């Protein structure tokens, strides 16, 4: 294990993380994780754990982690969408070249409804952006 452990450990959870201070300065020379806070990425809330008082260094590290985490999640969102585009292309090729009538019957209605819904949202959002840009 690395000698240069970080001062903080963030156990990621769905809406944020539990924040721990990493302690290696103990008699047993074990790594101990001392929970100091709960973080909610969605609403930006930082709650100290128990009766702990968070220091300025704690708050700076937590806010830095939150900024980095939000950026990472935004990157992942775009990557997921671009993968979806790839999957739609692969699905098109499958439907055109390999799918049997039974396979197409099993998925056609769901795909058409999903693509119609997506197209409707994308067209509406594009129109909204165009109207906003003309209004500026």
């Amino acid at each position: 294990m690395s000698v240069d452990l970080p001062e903080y450990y963030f156990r990621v959870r769905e809406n944020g993380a539990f924040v721990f201070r990493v302690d290696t300065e103990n008699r047993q020379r074990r790594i101990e994780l001392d929970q100091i806070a709960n973080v909610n990425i969605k609403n930006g809330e930082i709650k100290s754990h128990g009766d702990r008082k968070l220091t300025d260094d704690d708050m700076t590290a937590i806010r830095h982690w939150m900024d980095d985490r939000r950026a990472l999640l935004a990157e992942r969102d775009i990557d997921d969408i671009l993968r979806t585009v790839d999957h739609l292309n692969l699905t098109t090729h499958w439907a055109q070249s390999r799918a049997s009538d039974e396979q197409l019957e099993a998925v056609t209605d769901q795909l058409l409804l999903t693509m119609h819904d997506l197209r409707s949202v994308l067209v509406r959002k594009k129109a909204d952006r165009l109207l906003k840009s003309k209004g500026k």
Side-chain angles (χ1 to χ4, degrees):
M1 186 166 289
S2 172
V3 177
D4 297 327
L5 291 174
E7 188 173 349
Y8 300 95
Y9 168 69
F10 295 83
R11 182 192 300 156
V12 175
R13 58 190 179 97
E14 180 131 357
N15 291 328
F18 296 119
V19 183
F20 297 86
R21 186 173 291 115
V22 177
D23 177 17
T24 56
E25 302 294 324
N26 55 63
R27 290 189 321 208
Q28 295 85 12
R29 300 193 43 87
R30 293 183 184 167
I31 297 170
E32 292 184 12
L33 301 176
D34 184 25
Q35 186 174 355
I36 62 169
N38 300 319
V39 175
N40 186 316
I41 287 287
K42 294 198 190 285
N43 65 16
E45 188 173 68
I46 300 169
K47 287 184 183 177
S48 62
H49 182 71
D51 59 353
R52 301 210 180 273
K53 300 278 188 233
L54 298 175
T55 66
D56 289 341
D57 287 344
D58 294 339
M59 293 300 289
T60 298
I62 291 168
R63 286 191 182 107
H64 180 74
W65 180 87
M66 291 173 73
D67 291 342
D68 288 350
R69 184 70 180 168
R70 285 185 185 115
L72 175 64
L73 293 174
E75 287 176 26
R76 286 181 181 172
D77 280 347
I78 295 299
D79 187 54
D80 287 347
I81 299 306
L82 293 174
R83 287 174 193 260
T84 299
V85 171
D86 287 347
H87 283 285
L88 285 170
N89 283 311
L90 292 169
T91 301
T92 301
H93 182 70
W94 168 83
Q96 186 174 25
S97 64
R98 295 191 320 269
S100 69
D101 289 346
E102 293 80 23
Q103 288 172 319
L104 286 171
E105 188 61 37
V107 299
T108 296
D109 290 345
Q110 286 179 314
L111 279 170
L112 287 173
L113 286 170
T114 299
M115 290 185 310
H116 173 74
D117 184 30
L118 176 60
R119 183 183 184 283
S120 297
V121 169
L122 291 174
V123 167
R124 185 176 64 248
K125 293 287 201 170
K126 176 96 177 181
D128 290 347
R129 288 193 313 274
L130 288 171
L131 288 173
K132 282 182 188 175
S133 69
K134 286 183 181 182
K136 288 184 178 180

